[in-house]
Every structure is written in structure tokens, then in C-alpha cells.
Amino acid sequence: PDSAKDGSFSSPESNLPSPVKQEQAKAAMLPDLNDKILYEDWDDIPPSSALEEISEEEAMQIIAEPLLPLQSSTLRDYVDHSETLAKLVHLGVDLSQVEKRQKAGQLLLTLDFEKDIRKILLFLKDVGVEDNQLGPFLTKNPYILAEDLEALETRVAYLKSKKFGKAEIAQMVSRAPYLLLFSVERLDNRLGFFKNELGLSVKKTKDLVIRLPRLLTGKLEPVKENLQVCQIELGFQRNEIQQIVFKTPKILTASKKRLKQTFDYLHNIMGIPHHMLTRFPQVFNSKLLRIKERHMFLTFLGRAQYDPAQPSYISLDQLVSLPDEVFCTEIAKASIQDFEKFLKTL
């Protein structure tokens, strides 16, 4: 991901005392030592020899540091030797997941917690990532620890310039951890794509990516393909696609095969027209098996009626969203036991 510097903003850690300055301050407070006395003390200590014999009692007091593994397939072998890894584990980072990501393990071993990581944690907290989410966030995106702080602040400033509120940015960053790895140019191009391709207003485009922020981080090819499927293969008009996507953004990233199978059953088997599917596009998020089982049960009972102009109308929302017990008693007018017995006959 591009991490070019897009602007300059003050660091959230700039007001914190520098560890280096603290050490300098401590040194300044120490009294001047008398060089002559110091050297005289050294002269009193006889030079040690590598061949000098030591007592058994002295040998027992020697503590050898454990050797750092020269090579390992897991970060667990390094935790006892690395203060950085130990602190990340304490923070809630799952190293077993991090090491599955390409070169992420090597990255963590090169970082210093105080110098490299602390400033990123303060930045994330300032953006709005909750304390208890920092560990899971870094588990999903450890690469942010190597990003330039100025570049990260520039990307947040860009989102603010597009009128995204602080709470909205926090929600987007938390739900799409890779969001801030992308440059301002990338984010701007992606927002422009959805606005122009779907014909949405600026406000609706913002609402779309707030609800599904991974649209800004994922590949565009599946999105383009799904839009073509909806228009060419499923037969929806452009304004209908616009409504469907705005109500149910996940359609843009859904499996093409599943999308076509669900449409085929709803439209060609159940007889649901395009305008009804446009009104209740959330039905495409439901499992096809659930739709089939409930439709067949209603057909068996003679209650499969989806025309709002007719009596005993059942909406698609009621068909798929209600729990089984509520669906049976309120929609099918049957018991849950009847439904379970029917499913066994399929």
C-alpha cells in the first residue's frame, strides 16, 4: 500500500516527554565525579582473566541469558526475548494470526515499542479505536505499525475534509482496518468511482461507505462484475440498481453465483417481480435454503401470497427476517413442530 506523505500534521505524541530528554535530564542532575578518585578505584581492581579459576559458589551465581533463536517458524519463540512482542501480547495482539500474514512477523521483530509502536497506538486512540480493540485491530493490520505518522494523519484529515464526522471515521477505521494504509489519491478515486458509477449524491455515497467501509479497501473488479450481473443478467434498471445498492451495499461484494441463484428462485419460482425485489433487496442477503424451506412450507399450507394487492399478503422481509417460531405462529399460522415435521419430508 502507498504510504507517501500527503501533508504535515502535528503528532499526537508531540506533547509527551521524550525518553531521550528524560535520560539527559537525569544525567544533568548527577554530581560531577572526581576523575582522580574514579581512576584510583579502578586501579584497585585487578584485571580479570578468562583462565582464572572461580569458586563453585561464584559459578552458581552466574546467570546465562537464554539464546535468541536463530530461526523459527513461530513468533512464540521470540516473546521471552522481545519486550516489544511481550507488550503486544499484553495488549491483546494474537501473534499466531499475525505470523500468517506475509512478512508481518519479521516486521514486528524489527520494531521498538517505545520508538515505533507507541505513537501509532496514540494515533489510533485519537482516531477513535477503543482500548479493547487495539489488540484485535493490530492482529488484522500489523502493517500500520510501519506507516509514516504524517501520512496517517493526512489520510484522516482528508476524510474530515469530506465531511466525515469523528465517530464515522472511527467506525470506518475499526470495521476496515486496512483503510488508513491507502493514500489520499486512492481514497479520493474510490469515492469518486461509487458516486459516478451508481449515480449517487455525495451524501448517499458517504452513507454507503460508512455502512460498508471495505468498499474503499477491496478490489473493484468484483464490484464492477456484480453491477453488470444486476443489469444485464438479472434485468434490473439503473435506478433500481441504485436503490438496491443503497439499501443493501453487501450486494456489491456478494458471490455472483449466489446472487444469480437467489434471484432465479425469487423471480422465476416464487414469481416476485423486479419492483418488489427493489423494495426488499435485503432478501439477497438471506440463505437460499432458508428462502426455499419457508416458501415451500407456505405453499404446502396454501399461504404463499406475495402480492401486496391481495389478502393475506406476506412481505419478503417477513419471509426471511423473522425467527422460526415467530414465522410459524404469525406468518404461517402453524406450530414450530409442524414446520419441523414438514422439513423432514423434504
Side-chain angles (χ1 to χ4, degrees), residues 21-34:
K21 291 180 180 178
Q22 288 179 337
E23 291 301 319
Q24 292 173 343
K26 290 179 182 177
M29 290 187 292
L30 292 174
D32 292 334
L33 297 176
N34 186 298

Side-chain angles (χ1 to χ4, degrees), residues 86-105:
K87 287 184 176 181
L88 288 174
V89 169
H90 182 71
L91 196 65
V93 176
D94 187 344
L95 297 182
S96 67
Q97 294 300 314
V98 170
E99 62 194 18
K100 294 177 183 178
R101 307 186 187 281
Q102 187 176 13
K103 297 185 178 180

Side-chain angles (χ1 to χ4, degrees), residues 8-19:
S8 178
F9 293 85
S10 61
S11 166
E13 61 159 352
S14 58
N15 295 325
L16 294 176
S18 165

Side-chain angles (χ1 to χ4, degrees), residues 111-331:
L111 298 177
D112 178 85
F113 191 88
E114 290 299 324
K115 179 184 175 183
D116 305 314
I117 297 178
R118 187 169 181 268
K119 60 186 178 182
I120 302 298
L121 294 176
L122 291 174
F123 165 77
L124 291 172
K125 283 169 61 69
D126 186 60
V127 168
V129 179
E130 299 291 338
D131 287 357
N132 61 354
Q133 288 301 310
L134 288 172
F137 181 96
L138 294 179
T139 299
K140 294 176 182 176
N141 179 18
Y143 306 111
I144 198 170
L145 296 175
E147 286 292 297
D148 181 80
L149 187 59
E150 259 185 30
L152 293 174
E153 291 173 331
T154 300
R155 293 159 197 169
V156 172
Y158 166 77
L159 293 174
K160 289 179 179 178
S161 75
K162 292 299 179 181
K163 308 303 179 186
F164 288 96
K166 183 174 176 63
E168 294 168 341
I169 294 174
Q171 177 182 327
M172 292 166 67
V173 170
S174 297
R175 294 179 62 189
Y178 284 96
L179 178 64
L180 294 180
L181 293 189
F182 300 111
S183 67
V184 166
E185 291 78 12
R186 156 85 178 233
L187 296 174
D188 193 62
N189 290 338
R190 191 56 64 91
L191 286 171
F193 169 82
F194 288 108
K195 179 180 180 298
N196 298 328
E197 194 73 19
L198 298 172
L200 298 174
S201 66
V202 172
K203 185 179 182 305
K204 285 191 173 182
T205 303
K206 282 176 50 184
D207 183 75
L208 181 72
V209 298
I210 288 170
R211 290 157 59 202
L212 193 63
R214 70 169 181 264
L215 290 175
L216 295 176
T217 62
K219 295 181 179 179
L220 281 181
E221 285 308 311
V223 173
K224 293 176 181 178
E225 291 175 0
N226 279 6
L227 288 174
Q228 289 183 339
V229 165
C230 287
Q231 185 172 2
I232 298 173
E233 298 186 44
L234 307 188
F236 286 102
Q237 300 299 314
R238 179 177 169 82
N239 66 317
E240 291 176 328
I241 295 174
Q242 187 184 82
Q243 294 179 55
I244 289 172
V245 169
F246 183 69
K247 291 178 181 177
T248 315
K250 285 184 179 180
I251 267 190
L252 293 172
T253 56
S255 159
K256 288 188 299 180
K257 179 180 179 181
R258 177 184 166 189
L259 195 59
K260 289 189 282 188
Q261 288 177 339
T262 302
F263 173 83
D264 180 65
Y265 192 83
L266 290 166
H267 184 66
N268 298 320
I269 304 299
M270 295 173 58
I272 310 296
H274 282 81
H275 72 272
M276 291 296 293
L277 293 173
T278 302
R279 284 184 59 192
F280 301 102
Q282 58 268 33
V283 72
F284 287 105
N285 287 338
S286 302
K287 292 182 179 180
L288 181 55
L289 179 61
R290 183 186 185 92
I291 296 173
K292 286 182 176 181
E293 289 176 345
R294 293 190 173 190
H295 169 67
M296 287 189 286
F297 186 52
L298 291 174
T299 301
F300 173 74
L301 298 173
R303 302 187 64 83
Q305 209 294 91
Y306 310 111
D307 185 350
Q310 300 297 323
S312 304
Y313 160 66
I314 296 172
S315 72
L316 294 180
D317 184 49
Q318 292 175 318
L319 178 70
V320 298
S321 65
L322 297 174
D324 282 345
E325 290 188 3
V326 179
F327 165 76
C328 290
T329 56
E330 296 187 9
I331 306 301

